[in-house]
Amino acid sequence: MRSVPEIAAALRSQDVTAVTLAEQFLAREAEARDRLHSFVAIDASQLLDQAAVCDAELSAGHDRGPLHGIPVGIKDIIDVKGYPTRCGSPLYPSTPADCDATVVSRLRDAGAVIAGKTTSHELACGVVTSPVSNPWNLDHVPGGSSGGSGAAVAAGLVPVGLGSDTGGSIRIPAALCGTVGLKPTFDLLPLAGILPLSTTLDHVGPLGATVTDCAHAMSALVADGTDFSDGLDRGIAGMRFGVLTEEPFSPLQPDVESNFHAAVDVLRSLGADCVDITIPELTHTLAAEFGIIPLEAFEYHEQSLRQRPFDIDPEIRTLLTAGAVLPGSVYRRACAARVAIARAITAAMTVHRLDALVAPTLPATASPKADTEHAYGDVSEPIAASYVRTTAPFNLSGQPAISVPCGFDREGLPIGLQIATRARHDKLALQVAAAFEQASPSRPRVPDFW
Amino acid sequence: MSDPNVGEVERHIADRLADHDLNGPAFDPRLIAPDYRGRLQMDASLDLLIGKVQPDASSDSDPGDAP
C-alpha cells in the first residue's frame, strides 16, 4: 500500500487510521535513516497530533478529500510552522518558522499530515543532495536539489513529497529515483515562504509514487476547485507528440536512449502520433539557464556571501560570486535568450500541431556518489550540466513538464520519460503521463530497499 | 563580447568584488577567473541565438539590476 488512492481507501474503510500511518512512517523512517538520510527533521509530536485530528474529522464525517490523513514530506527550503527551514545550509538558523508556506497551508487544508522536512541540496543549488542515498542503489545519488523528497517517495516512506525546480530539481530526483515528478506551469503555484534561487525560473511542485498521487497533490496545491485527477483515464488516442532527440537531448547513455525509444513506441501503441521535431534554439539552453541564475541568486544571498562566505559550499560560492562580477549584459542577454527559447518552443508546438513534447527526462541514470562527470562515448560532461540540459528548457519556457518512470538501465537504475505540454495545460501533462504509466511494462517495480 | 586576457580578467574581477565589498581569501580573483571566463564564453555563444545585441545595455557596468 503506497499510493494515495490505496491509502485513502484504507482510511475510509477503517482498515487503517491516520495515527497508525504516522506511527508506521516514524518506524520506517527510523529504520531507513542511517542509509537514506531523506529527512532532516521530523517532529513526531506534531505529526501524531495532526494525524489524530484527521482521524477525529473522518470519524465525524468531515472528509477533506484524497489527501486526508496521508503523510507528506516537505523539502527543507519550504517553511513549515514549527520547523526550522535550514535549506541544507549552515547559514540558516534553527529558529522554527512561525507560519507555513502557502503551499503547505493548502496541503494542510486538504487534510495532508506533514511528515517532516526532506533533505535539500544546499540552497537548492545542485543536483546531488548529499548525503541522501538513492533507494535503488545506496552508493548512487538521488539527484537534486529535491533529493530528499525523491528518495523518501521512492523508498515508500511517503506517497507524496514537495520539491522545487529551477533547472530540473523536481524532475531530476524523480527520474533518478523512479518516481513521478511534476514541474507545474510557472506561477501556477505560489512561492511565498519558499527560499528563492532564481525568481525567473523557480517553481514548486509535487513528487509522487504515481501520476495519480501527483494529481491529487496538485488539486490541493492549486486550491481553486480544479480536480487534477479528473480525466486521467481518458487516454491519448489521436494526440500528436513532438519527439525531441537532438541537442540538448543528445548525447544519451545507451540504455537511456533505448528505453526512451521504447517509451515512444508505447505512446504510439496507445494511439498517439509521434513525430520527430527539432528546435535548434534549445542548443542554447544552458547558456540561458546559467546566465540567469548567478545574478538572481547573488541578489538574494549577497549579505550571506559577504559575511559568511566559508559557510557556503565552494562551488555555490563561485556561482554566487559570478553573479557579483559578471557584466550585467550577461544577465540581460540570458533573459533575452530565455524569451527566444520559449517562443521557439511555442512556435514548434503550433507549427507541428502538437499536444505535447516528449523527451528523455535525463541523459543519464543515477551517478555513483563519487563521480563528478558523465561519459558519453569519448565525451565527458560535468554532472550538473549533464542533468540540467534536458530539464532546463522547460524552466526557461515555464510550461509544465512531468517525469514518469519508463524503465531501467542494465544496473537496475530508473530512467524517466519527460512530457511537456503548453502553459496551463498541467492536467494534460498528467493525463499523458497516466496513460503511459498504465501501459508501461516497468510500472510495478519498486526498489528492494527494505 | 571580447575575451580579455588573463590580467585584464583578474583586474576586472577584483574591481567588481571591491564594488560589492567582497573581500578576503574567499574571493581570490585568480580562483574566480576560470569560472568567469567560462561564463563569458557561454554568453558569447548566445550571439547565434539573439545576435550581438546587449538588451538595455545602458547600465552594463551594473550587474545588480535584475528584475
Side-chain angles (χ1 to χ4, degrees), chain A residues 199-200 281 284 286-288 290-291 294-296 298-299 302 305-306 309-310 317-319 321-338 340-341, chain B residues 1 12-13 16-17 20-22 25-27 32 35-36 39-40 42-67:
Chain A
T199 51
T200 298
E281 290 83 353
H284 300 284
L286 289 183
F290 292 158
L295 193 142
E296 295 190 353
F298 168 70
E299 189 173 61
E302 178 175 1
L305 182 67
R306 183 179 302 117
F310 289 109
R317 193 169 68 223
T318 298
L319 179 142
T321 305
V325 301
L326 283 168
S329 62
V330 172
Y331 174 76
R332 289 191 294 273
R333 283 161 50 82
C335 288
R338 185 196 70 77
I341 287 170
Chain B
M1 178 170 295
H12 171 78
I13 292 171
R16 300 300 299 146
L17 290 170
H20 289 285
D21 201 19
L22 296 171
F27 304 106
I32 297 166
D35 176 79
Y36 179 90
R39 290 180 189 278
L40 285 188
M42 207 176 259
D43 170 70
S45 74
L46 289 177
D47 287 349
L48 295 170
L49 178 63
I50 59 171
K52 292 182 182 295
V53 298
Q54 296 188 359
D56 189 24
S58 58
S59 58
D60 196 21
S61 61
D62 177 14
D65 54 359

Side-chain angles (χ1 to χ4, degrees), chain A residues 3 5 179-182 206 208-218 228-229 232 402-405 419 426-438 443:
Chain A
S3 74
T179 76
V180 179
L182 171 65
T210 67
V211 175
T212 302
D213 295 345
C214 283
H216 288 310
M218 282 297 292
F228 283 77
S229 69
L232 290 182
I402 189 169
S403 180
V404 59
I419 299 154
D426 301 68
K427 280 185 73 170
L428 181 61
L430 289 160
Q431 180 182 333
V432 176
F436 177 81
E437 181 183 61
Q438 287 298 314
R443 183 170 166 261

